Amino acid sequence: MLNREFIFSNPEVLKWIDNKFIFVAGDDWYRRRAQDDASVWFKSIARKARRGKNGSTQQGCYAVTPKGELLRFINTSDPKKFTVTMLEALKLWDGVVQDKKVTIPEMKNFDYKVNVPPIDPSKDVLIKVQSRALTEKDGKLERWNSNGKAGGKPAVGHLWIKQAEWQSIVQNFKTMEVGETTPLTKRLIHRIAKFHLIDNTRGEGPAWESKDLKHAKVTLTRVKNGFAIRGMFLLTNQKKSLSHSTELSGEITINQSTARPVSWTMIAYGKHRGEGKYTRNARPGAQPLGFTFEFLPASKIRPIDLVPPQHMRWQRGYWEAEKH
Amino acid sequence: MRFFTFILSSLSLITSSALVSAKKDLTETERKTIWSLVNADKSETIWKDKINWHADIWEARKIANREGKPLLIWEMDGHPMGCT
């Protein structure tokens, strides 16, 4: 994550902000393109802050009444400026007499061509993906210290697996003997490689294309309660300006009575080289990059865990990763 | 989960040359180390954990109305809670 999160990590901000607002975070890439009721409503607010003209960016922090009146807007990474602006917004809110409570209608118009239909965590499989730049020092592996620059923090994403895709894994479990090995489906291998084994530690890293997958192999070996997973990836773009060589390993444990995952944990570790249009200032050469994958059971999922995978912006490309 | 149920007391057990080798499987110890190095510490997720963020703006609008509070809407290119 880049620097704006630090506003919400700042101890001075956290002292006053708690419970003062209802907080909601969104991806403006979707918002400014979508025509659903929520996006249209938000765009009307952004216009009041002089944001989003002719489809331009609406990024920033908006203090808004439930009716849709803009109280204050700011786009800053400075906690002091943020605090001053939002405390002004709260004063204005205290002064609101009429329309403090309004009737909020149900959403009628959705836009799933742009916005992503939500996943069902009781049926589908949601895996949290974290990544971090690492470094080798004196023969040991450690976290890379960016000295305050972008790239030193962990990045977060979500891998989505549909119920039917999960069921094919369960079916393998039922029919295979302990010790037997089978490949993971090409669809899931491509989804993991193209959209999750990317360097997003300095922002939105570019997805890999199918032709970039020089080697991509993942196998499932049946063990008593699930599978051991092993995989290798070699990813290189056409210009040879980006490459990623990484090894994947982990395990899946299956609840045999519910046929749901108990756990799905994997790590990927290897070396990544290069940078994307929005991820400048990569370290020179091939550098260690690590990933963790962890299944989130429905009972532990928070609203923010349901944020779609970053590269879901092209939905068919994500769901049918092996075809495109 | 057996690989990942505890954090290593020492990270000095492994050499980087072992970790980057593509010719052999990572050991269980190496996996545990990478797991603990990559995953965020609590101090790094305070902005997600101390604030009750919603991801559905319309639902948040209803909650704000019900609780008599204003909304704070944070919009970024790339979802702040799931992109980077």
Side-chain angles (χ1 to χ4, degrees), chain B residues 11-82:
Chain B
L11 300 179
S12 62
L13 299 172
I14 338 165
T15 64
S16 58
S17 59
L19 286 170
V20 298
S21 170
K23 292 181 180 175
K24 66 169 190 60
D25 282 352
L26 294 169
T27 67
E28 188 175 325
T29 303
E30 289 164 348
R31 286 189 206 116
K32 284 179 202 165
T33 299
I34 293 167
W35 186 263
S36 60
L37 285 173
V38 171
N39 283 348
D41 298 331
K42 282 191 173 178
S43 63
E44 293 174 315
T45 58
I46 194 167
W47 57 289
K48 290 183 183 176
D49 301 334
K50 291 281 184 185
I51 294 173
N52 184 24
W53 289 101
H54 296 270
D56 181 331
I57 196 169
W58 204 261
E59 191 58 33
R61 190 182 171 200
K62 285 189 200 170
I63 295 168
N65 194 48
R66 194 165 61 236
E67 296 190 10
K69 292 179 181 176
L71 289 146
L72 194 156
I73 304 171
W74 180 20
E75 288 281 318
M76 293 289 288
D77 259 353
H79 203 295
M81 302 294 153

Side-chain angles (χ1 to χ4, degrees), chain A residues 283-301:
Chain A
R283 293 176 288 169
Q287 297 290 345
L289 183 64
F291 296 82
T292 63
F293 296 74
E294 183 177 24
F295 167 68
L296 296 181
S299 60
K300 289 188 178 175
I301 287 175

Side-chain angles (χ1 to χ4, degrees), chain A residues 41 55 64 82 93 126 128 135 152 173 195 207 271 275 284 294 297:
Chain A
W41 180 74
V64 179
F82 174 81
W93 171 248
L126 169 55
K128 181 178 180 180
T135 192
F173 177 78
F195 305 117
K271 289 196 171 182
E275 60 191 20
E294 183 177 24

Side-chain angles (χ1 to χ4, degrees), chain A residues 88-159:
Chain A
E88 285 174 4
L90 288 171
K91 270 191 180 176
L92 289 171
W93 171 248
D94 288 341
V96 172
V97 179
Q98 289 188 325
D99 294 337
K100 207 154 192 168
K101 288 208 171 189
V102 293
T103 302
I104 310 288
E106 292 300 318
M107 286 260 294
K108 287 181 182 170
N109 300 301
F110 296 85
D111 186 355
Y112 287 144
K113 282 183 183 170
V114 178
N115 281 327
V116 179
I119 199 172
D120 181 349
S122 69
K123 295 176 180 171
D124 304 311
V125 174
L126 169 55
I127 295 177
K128 181 178 180 180
V129 185
Q130 297 188 70
S131 57
R132 191 191 292 265
L134 303 174
T135 192
E136 298 163 27
K137 194 173 180 183
D138 300 328
K140 295 172 196 166
L141 194 68
E142 56 186 50
R143 291 173 175 173
W144 177 61
N145 183 350
S146 68
N147 291 314
K149 293 180 181 173
K153 297 283 185 184
V156 178
H158 304 108
L159 165 62

Side-chain angles (χ1 to χ4, degrees), chain A residues 4 28 42 51 57-62 73-76, chain B residues 72-77:
Chain A
R4 284 183 180 78
D28 189 51
F42 176 74
R51 303 287 277 175
T57 182
Q58 304 173 129
Q59 294 181 94
C61 288
Y62 300 75
F73 164 80
I74 192 165
N75 188 25
T76 183
Chain B
L72 194 156
I73 304 171
W74 180 20
E75 288 281 318
M76 293 289 288
D77 259 353

